[in-house]
Amino acid sequence: YVLWIEGFDPHEPFDCALEYLEMYNDQWDGPRNHWTSYNWTDEYSPEALQHLRNQYAGTLTQADEYLGRLFDEMERQGTFDDALIILTTDHGHLIGEHGASGKNRWQVWNELGNIPFVAKLPGNQHAGERRDQLTQNIDVMPTLMDFFDIDYDHPIHGETLKGVLENNDPVNRQAAIYGWFGMPVNVTDGRYTYFRA
């Protein structure tokens, strides 16, 4: 079976439970401030910007805690070792990097577009190994289809990463296109990136 979990956190509003915010020694005593302005950060005081970063860190830690609980339950039920687990996201978020805050208003800098793709293979094959192939989120579906040995007879944009994960095979793509709908679009070969506003 496939279990697909879309955890909205860590995401705005950064409203983690207080216990997670306290882990980051947050000292904020101003008005509620849990959403970036999608503007330049010179409008923030250093304390307000640090509070946003602390809330983001706390929200991320809280999400991590709950994902860990899911993994613990899978281990308790004896399903973790046989599972293929893929963790990824759709974008990053700026909280002061490049003097900006938010996401899809800006050029797609690495903090926004160079997203994680983490996979745990059944039997923990290749645990701790890294790959440097150029991947995209459109590769998730064909990867799942390949692992489940399901054929499809129509063209798709992504490619399976099963060979990448199991054998460190190369990918077929020479470049990846990414960006925001109706806004900046970029092309990268993994080494160089062309930014187009």
Side-chain angles (χ1 to χ4, degrees):
Y1 65 91
V2 172
L3 173 63
W4 186 289
I5 299 174
E6 181 179 352
F8 193 70
D9 280 335
H11 202 283
E12 296 168 298
F14 304 135
D15 56 355
C16 61
L18 189 57
E19 65 186 281
Y20 296 99
L21 185 58
E22 289 172 347
M23 295 171 86
Y24 294 92
N25 194 30
D26 191 67
Q27 303 294 316
W28 182 250
D29 63 356
R32 186 168 184 151
N33 175 27
H34 63 288
W35 200 287
T36 54
S37 64
Y38 291 68
N39 210 337
W40 299 109
T41 53
D42 55 8
E43 68 182 39
Y44 293 104
S45 70
E47 296 80 15
L49 193 59
Q50 185 60 52
H51 175 60
L52 280 169
R53 287 179 174 156
N54 291 342
Q55 287 186 114
Y56 177 75
T59 303
L60 181 61
T61 302
Q62 180 175 320
D64 184 57
E65 166 75 22
Y66 281 86
L67 182 61
R69 290 182 188 186
L70 171 66
F71 292 164
D72 289 346
E73 181 59 24
M74 291 175 67
E75 285 185 337
R76 189 188 71 74
Q77 293 184 19
T79 60
F80 186 81
D81 287 341
D82 293 333
L84 166 66
I85 299 172
I86 296 174
L87 300 173
T88 190
T89 189
D90 55 345
H91 59 76
H93 198 95
L94 301 175
I95 310 176
E97 298 82 4
H98 305 282
S101 72
K103 51 185 181 200
N104 55 356
R105 177 178 177 201
W106 312 102
Q107 188 60 261
V108 188
W109 290 297
N110 278 343
E111 293 87 351
L112 297 170
N114 190 3
I115 59 175
F117 185 98
V118 180
K120 186 214 78 74
L121 299 178
N124 289 329
Q125 301 171 61
H126 307 288
E129 293 182 12
R130 295 178 63 96
R131 305 286 188 254
D132 61 5
Q133 289 84 341
L134 187 61
T135 65
Q136 295 187 268
N137 281 349
I138 57 175
D139 299 331
V140 172
M141 186 273 286
T143 300
L144 291 174
M145 300 288 275
D146 199 4
F147 267 94
F148 283 100
D149 199 26
I150 299 171
D151 292 324
Y152 46 91
D153 60 357
H154 59 282
I156 59 170
H157 293 289
E159 63 178 278
T160 178
L161 300 177
K162 187 175 185 204
V164 170
L165 298 173
E166 292 181 338
N167 306 312
N168 203 17
D169 291 343
V171 292
N172 292 320
R173 70 173 50 94
Q174 294 179 349
I177 187 169
Y178 63 99
W180 313 121
F181 176 75
M183 296 177 68
V185 176
N186 312 307
V187 177
T188 186
D189 65 359
R191 182 173 179 198
Y192 298 104
T193 299
Y194 171 65
F195 291 91
R196 179 164 187 214

